[in-house]
Amino acid sequence: MATKKKVITKDDIVSKYMEEVLEKGQKPKSVYHFAKENDFTEAEFYAFFGTLEGLEKEIFRLFFENTVNLLHKNEEYQQYDMKNKMLSFYFTFFEILTANRSYVLQSLKIDKNPIKNLVQLTTLRNSFKEYVSEILTDDYRLEQERFQKFQEKAIEESSWLQLMLTIKFWMEDESPAFEKTDIFIEKSVNASFELMNVAPMNHLIDFGKFLFKEKVHSR
């Protein structure tokens, strides 16, 4: 009796891809070569991914998804304010990156053109910005509704830039247990939330409205 072939899953393909990149130090030449060398069909690959590039992006999105899933398992997390939610995200996310450090370093340095390497992070970028939007509280939101959308976009983009800078710092960190990265995370997140203090901005907007009204009435 013939042995029934194991049904390949999305996780199987992700694992095989990461292993191949690590062992060979380069990306597979094509879906055909990748599937053939790992004993599954192209059809099985395309059931989950449209391209190898899409698979690369999905790996970093999965790092993000696993982070958020772990956070939500912590009952105390839901009671945290925005800053502590962000700190929890950072520490958990970088634990997952550290567990996959060899792959992350390899994949983000594999192409001579750094821009091409960063393309892998586009799906992570979208997911992270959505996360920032979800945890944004009224403590950091302007009172004037017409400015809120602009402010939220600015916070999302600046938060993404901060995450990118932290990834770069972590990649270059040679300290034991990456303890310097932990310090960097704490100090940078604390500093960013100090800068996000909306009270001065609300005062500036009120002052601007006052000046505008005064100018109109003085005509």
Side-chain angles (χ1 to χ4, degrees):
M1 183 176 178
T3 304
K4 188 175 180 180
K5 184 181 176 183
K6 177 182 180 293
V7 176
I8 193 162
T9 66
K10 180 179 179 179
D11 289 342
D12 291 332
I13 294 175
V14 167
S15 296
K16 289 177 183 296
Y17 183 85
M18 293 174 70
E19 287 173 12
E20 183 159 330
V21 169
L22 284 171
E23 290 176 2
K24 296 187 176 181
Q26 62 183 14
K27 302 176 183 179
K29 293 179 181 179
S30 66
V31 172
Y32 169 79
H33 284 97
F34 176 50
K36 185 177 181 181
E37 291 184 8
N38 289 279
D39 196 30
F40 60 88
T41 66
E42 288 185 76
E44 287 175 308
F45 176 91
Y46 289 123
F48 301 105
F49 306 101
T51 61
L52 289 174
E53 289 74 19
L55 168 55
E56 292 169 350
K57 294 176 183 178
E58 179 65 5
I59 290 171
F60 282 93
R61 193 199 68 79
L62 287 172
F63 292 157
F64 169 86
E65 183 180 273
N66 292 339
T67 299
V68 174
N69 288 341
L70 285 171
L71 291 174
H72 286 160
K73 287 179 180 178
N74 180 359
E75 294 180 2
E76 295 180 358
Y77 170 79
Q78 299 300 336
Q79 309 304 319
Y80 290 166
D81 60 16
M82 184 182 175
K83 185 173 80 169
N84 282 307
K85 282 183 177 179
M86 187 66 80
L87 281 169
S88 296
F89 172 87
Y90 264 89
F91 287 127
T92 306
F93 182 68
F94 279 91
E95 280 182 14
I96 289 174
L97 288 193
T98 298
N100 297 276
R101 184 175 173 86
S102 295
Y103 173 79
V104 175
L105 294 182
Q106 180 86 347
S107 63
L108 292 181
K109 295 179 179 179
I110 206 163
D111 199 292
K112 292 181 180 179
N113 184 344
I115 300 300
K116 289 185 178 180
N117 292 324
L118 294 179
V119 169
Q120 299 173 73
L121 304 181
T122 53
T123 307
L124 168 64
R125 177 177 181 270
N126 294 335
S127 297
F128 179 69
K129 287 171 64 178
E130 287 177 10
Y131 171 77
V132 173
S133 177
E134 288 171 4
I135 67 171
L136 182 62
T137 62
D138 288 340
D139 293 335
Y140 299 99
R141 190 177 276 115
L142 292 171
E143 294 171 3
Q144 287 74 14
E145 290 185 12
R146 56 183 172 165
F147 293 107
Q148 285 181 6
K149 199 67 180 175
F150 172 80
Q151 180 211 21
E152 287 174 15
K153 292 292 182 185
I155 290 175
E156 289 171 14
E157 292 297 341
S158 61
S159 296
W160 171 246
L161 177 60
Q162 182 179 13
L163 181 61
M164 291 286 288
L165 291 172
T166 310
I167 290 174
K168 184 177 186 300
F169 186 94
W170 170 81
M171 289 175 68
E172 298 171 355
D173 188 3
E174 298 179 354
S175 64
F178 308 106
E179 56 190 22
K180 287 185 179 178
T181 296
D182 288 344
I183 296 170
F184 182 92
I185 288 171
E186 191 161 359
K187 290 186 178 297
S188 64
V189 170
N190 284 334
S192 68
F193 275 84
E194 286 295 321
L195 292 172
M196 279 170 56
N197 184 354
V198 299
M201 184 61 71
N202 278 323
H203 292 324
L204 284 173
I205 292 173
D206 287 340
F207 182 55
K209 287 166 66 179
F210 168 77
L211 290 178
F212 177 76
K213 288 178 181 177
E214 287 298 307
K215 191 165 185 178
V216 170
H217 290 319
S218 65
R219 288 181 179 179

